[in-house]
Amino acid sequence: MKVKDLMQLLHGPDRVRIIKDRNTVFTGWKDNWPKEYAEETMCDFRAIPEIRHKEWEKRGLLPPLEPDKTPDYNFSDLQMCLYYTVYI
């Protein structure tokens, strides 16, 4: 399956990560994905939740993939985002 085929199934506000050769080449909204990867063949696809503590910075923890974006869900002390991760 080509990356463009998957992108046609996702919606604008969906979050996407594209990983090529073990390097993250894009993290962001589906509507902003770089079209230069459209013809790449996907070798794997996963829906990966990201769960971080709300006070990650204050506590010296790892930052979220997109720290400036609003999380999909908030819990009492955690936040969660879901990323559709494409491996090419």
Side-chain angles (χ1 to χ4, degrees), residues 2 6 11 22 26-27 38-39 41-42 64 67 70-71 74-75 78 82 84:
K2 303 282 185 191
L6 174 67
H11 299 275
R22 297 184 181 170
F26 174 74
T27 302
E39 294 300 323
T41 300
M42 294 173 36
T70 305
N74 278 309
F75 304 95
L78 300 175
L82 181 66
Y84 293 104

Side-chain angles (χ1 to χ4, degrees), residues 11-87:
H11 299 275
D14 291 339
R15 290 194 173 115
V16 174
R17 259 177 88 191
I18 299 176
I19 298 177
K20 182 175 183 171
D21 301 325
R22 297 184 181 170
N23 295 311
T24 300
V25 294
F26 174 74
T27 302
W29 306 112
K30 178 264 183 183
D31 281 349
N32 296 333
W33 70 283
K35 307 304 185 270
E36 64 197 73
Y37 300 106
E39 294 300 323
E40 296 273 358
T41 300
M42 294 173 36
C43 60
D44 199 7
F45 167 76
R46 302 197 47 204
I48 300 177
E50 176 193 59
I51 300 174
R52 295 283 191 256
H53 197 284
K54 284 182 183 178
E55 298 177 350
W56 61 270
E57 195 168 24
K58 178 177 163 184
R59 295 172 180 248
L61 303 172
L62 290 173
L65 292 173
E66 298 179 286
D68 58 324
K69 303 289 188 239
T70 305
D72 294 341
Y73 299 98
N74 278 309
F75 304 95
S76 63
D77 58 351
L78 300 175
Q79 60 187 35
M80 181 184 131
C81 295
L82 181 66
Y83 289 88
Y84 293 104
T85 304
V86 178
Y87 296 87

Side-chain angles (χ1 to χ4, degrees), residues 1-12:
M1 175 185 256
K2 303 282 185 191
V3 173
K4 67 179 180 181
D5 298 328
L6 174 67
M7 294 302 171
Q8 291 176 352
L9 300 175
L10 299 179
H11 299 275

